Amino acid sequence: MKIGLFDSGIGGISVLKKLTYINGAHYIYIADTERAPYGIKTPEVLESFIFEFAEFFHKRGVNEIFAACNTTDSIILERNLDLGIKYNSIIKAAIQAPKGEKVGVIGTNITVSNGIYKKYLEMENKEVYQKSTQLFVSLVEEGIFYGRMVEAVANYYLLPLKKKNIEELILGCTHFPFLKGVISRVLPKVRIIDPAEELSKKLAKNNSKKAFVEFYVTGDPKIFEKKLKRINFRVPYTINKFKTKKVIQVEKSNYSDRVVGRW
């Protein structure tokens, strides 16, 4: 069985790790480090990336895709994109987790601005408070998980949510579990929800074989491998260069945006 994942960098490793514990499948993970961060890209550009990766997964015979990026997942849900492969949404998995009434959501600019978490949670009769915490992504990509700077940024972002007396907080970006410690210190009475944990429940348990990961990196593979070692990633893997499409053309129609890639 082949499982595909993609993210702008190492954030999606928080999903990948949990999946490899459950199922010893063959994983193909695309890390789009050259074009990161995703949270400040336009939806049209992100859609072009999504179809680019889906095309690659088709060629590699991937059976299922597990979302490893909330930002692109929000675009897929908002635009109802069909990738032609079974797709498991991290956002849809996460919205089943809150038990309280007042729920906070932190994420990238795109995830927060399109309000996809808010939409689904309000359908579950939750009172939702959102906060864009884009800088958290950069901190994680730089391997800065603790220290005075991280504490200052966390307090700046999270204290407004604390004043709202939220009961639970959804980490609406796969980078954020790496900062769970500092987030918990700022919000000690708040239940922290890691969507990766909820998403992993969608995968059948099978440890008859050992997991193996093929990484495909759009940026520098050596820098990416250093980041893997920094977060102590222990699953056997190879790292390959992923060549991105050079020209992206967006065609508008009356019904939806159709993205065509050229290379």
Side-chain angles (χ1 to χ4, degrees):
M1 181 180 183
K2 290 185 179 179
I3 295 175
L5 305 94
F6 59 87
D7 184 45
S8 61
I10 66 166
I13 303 295
S14 63
V15 177
L16 179 62
K17 277 186 173 182
K18 287 181 169 56
L19 297 182
T20 57
Y21 293 152
I22 294 170
N23 194 307
H26 182 156
Y27 296 88
I28 299 177
Y29 182 108
I30 301 173
D32 194 5
T33 54
E34 184 181 50
R35 300 182 294 196
Y38 278 3
I40 59 175
K41 298 287 191 295
T42 66
E44 290 75 24
V45 167
L46 290 174
E47 184 175 330
S48 73
F49 295 173
I50 292 165
F51 280 114
E52 182 179 6
F53 299 147
E55 179 183 356
F56 180 77
F57 288 146
H58 273 285
K59 291 178 179 178
R60 293 302 314 278
V62 166
N63 305 102
E64 290 188 49
I65 298 172
F66 276 75
C69 171
N70 284 260
T71 301
T72 51
D73 191 29
S74 71
I75 299 299
I76 291 169
L77 296 181
E78 182 184 37
R79 299 186 169 210
N80 195 29
L81 304 182
D82 181 4
L83 306 187
I85 302 174
K86 182 180 178 181
Y87 179 77
N88 299 278
S89 165
I90 194 168
I91 292 174
K92 284 191 174 181
I95 60 171
Q96 304 300 318
K99 297 177 171 51
E101 295 182 1
K102 301 180 76 171
V103 181
V105 178
I106 55 175
T108 64
N109 294 345
I110 283 284
T111 303
V112 170
S113 65
N114 69 20
I116 197 75
Y117 267 111
K118 183 177 174 65
K119 172 186 173 181
Y120 282 116
L121 288 167
E122 287 182 343
M123 290 172 64
E124 301 291 328
N125 298 313
K126 305 297 183 183
E127 188 177 338
V128 185
Y129 298 94
Q130 299 187 109
K131 182 71 175 177
S132 174
T133 55
Q134 183 68 46
L135 190 53
F136 277 169
V137 178
S138 299
L139 290 173
V140 171
E141 285 294 328
E142 291 297 326
I144 305 171
F145 305 140
Y146 55 87
R148 290 184 179 180
M149 181 172 66
V150 180
E151 297 281 347
V153 172
N155 276 283
Y156 172 76
Y157 279 148
L158 302 175
L159 287 180
L161 292 175
K162 187 175 184 179
K163 291 179 180 178
K164 296 294 184 181
N165 295 315
I166 60 171
E167 300 165 82
E168 296 162 299
L169 178 71
I170 294 177
L171 304 180
C173 173
T174 53
H175 284 73
F176 297 173
F178 292 101
L179 299 175
K180 190 174 181 179
V182 66
I183 292 171
S184 296
R185 286 194 292 277
V186 178
L187 302 172
K189 297 181 180 180
V190 176
R191 177 185 173 226
I192 308 299
I193 297 172
D194 179 359
E197 187 68 39
E198 304 304 318
L199 180 61
S200 67
K201 297 174 183 177
K202 304 293 182 181
L203 182 61
K205 186 173 183 179
N206 184 350
N207 289 315
S208 59
K209 295 182 180 179
K210 289 185 177 181
F212 180 80
V213 183
E214 281 185 70
F215 286 108
Y216 287 85
V217 185
T218 61
D220 188 330
K222 292 182 179 179
I223 292 176
F224 183 76
E225 185 163 28
K226 287 180 181 179
K227 291 181 179 182
L228 285 180
K229 291 179 178 178
R230 188 184 296 151
I231 62 174
N232 199 29
F233 187 77
R234 294 179 177 273
V235 179
Y237 64 83
T238 58
I239 300 181
N240 311 277
K241 182 70 175 178
F242 185 96
K243 294 183 179 180
T244 58
K245 294 178 180 178
K246 300 303 180 183
V247 180
I248 299 295
Q249 175 182 323
V250 181
E251 297 178 353
K252 299 279 186 178
S253 73
N254 293 329
Y255 302 100
S256 64
D257 294 339
R258 177 62 179 166
V259 179
V260 179
R262 294 181 180 175
W263 61 98

